[in-house]
Amino acid sequence: MLELLTHDLARATQVIAAGNLCVIPTETVYGLGADATNKDAVAQVFTAKGRPKDHPLIVHVANAEQSGEWFAQLPDWAIALGQEFWPGPLTLVSTRTELASDFVTGGQNTVAVRVPNHDLTSALLNQLLDTGTRGLVAPSANRFGHVSPTIATHALADLGDYLKAHNGCILDGGACALGVESTIVLAVDGRPQVLRPGGITRRMIREFTGLEIFNPADDAPRVPGALAAHYAPDAIVQLIEPTDQLECVDGQGVIAAKSVEISGNYVELARPTNDQEFAQSLYAALRSADDLGLTSVAVVLPGSDGLAEAIRDRLSRAAHTN
Ligand code: TXA
Ligand code: MG
């Protein structure tokens, strides 16, 4: 039996070409990759994750030009955004070509596309292009609703059994540099709408395009990552607005900036010195709370600007209990 974790691009290419699943590293989080034009392969993604069937997927392509095969039309500002920020943590959503089937878009008339920024995955996408594969769907490689994976062994823990039983593999590309999912921008008209905040911040988009950035309109497409409860560990997540001092319950896990003074008998999960480190360590810290069997985690929130918006967004969902 082959090991699930691999660095072997030829093997990953074969797995995808055979219609099976390969976990891919990206700069945001690990994704569960499948040929975006293969209906049975995409069906496996939903089964492996336990993801509801009507939730649309992001298509990952090798470069900005390649996105043109999937989009019927993109406003000029969105073309410019792609040229500026791809490869990178930006997903554009716009009207689709016939290459984007209902089984990828959840039946919506738009498709989501991004160019990930990771050497191994870029090489894989380029090799796949040579063999005629035009893109990979890749939702985060976790069981539905759980914390997204930022190292290969997180994906192994969530999906290893499925991948082993179905000839899949995990391309190990080390720790994800950014640590939170891409910014999703709806690009169907003159108004950029941020459907999910991420590493490309509102300010970056506003300053680059010179356009006002809108929040999703009431009729904007539904984003499952925007469900109230998502990204959640088993431990209870207690959110605390920014403060210099924190008093913990005995045995509680803590995620807080290094500058916060903490009292009490706590378990240190992450002490980032800035928002980049906060994002990068967040999901691993939430997973380690469960590995350590902690019942609750106190998180001192970062501010709300820039990358902190994405951190707060994910934490509010991780903290939500149904
Ligand atoms: O950083 C990322 O985006 C990661 C890595 C692996 O690339 N992927 C990721 O995929 O976060 P996933 O499936 O966990 O989240 C994809 C999001 C969903 O919330 C989905 O609803 C939204 O993209 N999406 C996909 N197609 C859409 C569409 N046509 N309209 C609106 N939202 C869409
Ligand atoms: Mg996800």
Side-chain angles (χ1 to χ4, degrees):
M1 162 78 77
L2 283 168
E3 290 295 323
L4 279 180
L5 294 185
T6 183
H7 295 99
D8 184 348
L9 280 177
R11 178 174 161 208
T13 304
Q14 279 162 11
V15 165
I16 297 287
N20 290 318
L21 305 182
C22 172
V23 171
I24 56 170
T26 82
E27 79 282 28
T28 59
V29 300
Y30 275 76
L32 180 58
D35 180 347
T37 60
N38 180 330
K39 189 174 187 181
D40 294 336
V42 176
Q44 281 204 61
V45 169
F46 287 91
T47 308
K49 281 193 58 125
R51 177 169 168 134
K53 285 270 188 298
D54 59 339
H55 286 187
L57 298 164
I58 298 173
V59 178
H60 295 62
V61 296
N63 53 55
E65 298 75 68
Q66 193 62 23
S67 71
E69 289 199 18
W70 296 86
F71 288 132
Q73 155 197 4
L74 263 188
D76 286 346
W77 63 262
I79 293 173
L81 262 191
Q83 278 164 355
E84 176 74 6
F85 294 111
W86 280 339
L90 171 74
T91 295
L92 294 175
V93 176
S94 197
T95 46
R96 62 173 168 169
T97 61
E98 75 272 15
L99 200 54
S101 304
D102 284 346
F103 58 78
V104 169
T105 69
Q108 306 196 48
N109 60 5
T110 54
V111 64
V113 180
R114 91 175 188 98
V115 181
N117 187 13
H118 189 291
D119 288 350
L120 263 185
T121 292
S122 299
L124 175 66
L125 289 167
N126 278 303
Q127 280 197 16
L128 285 168
L129 252 189
D130 293 341
T131 65
T133 302
R134 331 267 277 281
L136 294 179
V137 294
S140 51
N142 50 274
R143 293 279 304 166
F144 181 70
H146 195 212
V147 181
S148 303
T150 52
I151 52 175
T153 49
H154 293 163
L156 181 68
D158 275 28
L159 301 173
D161 288 345
Y162 183 92
L163 294 171
K164 199 168 270 179
H166 296 85
N167 301 312
C169 68
I170 298 173
L171 202 48
D172 186 352
C176 299
L178 184 61
V180 292
E181 297 81 353
S182 60
T183 306
I184 302 181
V185 179
L186 183 64
V188 287
D189 54 25
R191 306 177 314 148
Q193 292 178 47
V194 173
L195 302 183
R196 180 176 73 182
I200 304 298
T201 64
R202 268 172 218 279
R203 174 184 298 181
M204 289 159 81
I205 298 170
R206 191 178 54 237
E207 286 182 354
F208 180 76
T209 61
L211 296 169
E212 191 185 341
I213 312 304
F214 290 80
N215 286 319
D218 285 345
D219 60 352
R222 219 167 28 93
V223 174
L227 292 175
H230 213 76
Y231 314 104
D234 294 333
I236 293 164
V237 177
Q238 182 197 353
L239 301 185
I240 297 146
E241 284 302 324
T243 172
D244 296 337
Q245 284 185 333
L246 173 67
E247 206 174 309
C248 290
V249 179
D250 251 15
Q252 199 171 29
V254 173
I255 300 173
K258 194 91 183 162
S259 56
V260 178
E261 241 176 69
I262 308 171
S263 55
N265 203 352
Y266 66 97
V267 179
E268 180 173 309
L269 298 175
R271 298 300 304 275
T273 58
N274 55 43
D275 289 347
Q276 279 70 28
E277 280 182 27
F278 205 131
Q280 217 261 338
S281 58
L282 177 63
Y283 288 149
L286 292 175
R287 278 181 183 257
S288 65
D290 287 346
D291 293 343
L292 295 167
L294 305 183
T295 48
S296 103
V297 181
V299 187
V300 178
L301 292 164
S304 47
D305 256 14
L307 186 55
E309 187 194 353
I311 298 170
R312 292 179 72 108
D313 171 74
R314 304 309 189 275
L315 276 167
S316 71
R317 302 178 203 292
H320 191 93
T321 47
N322 282 321

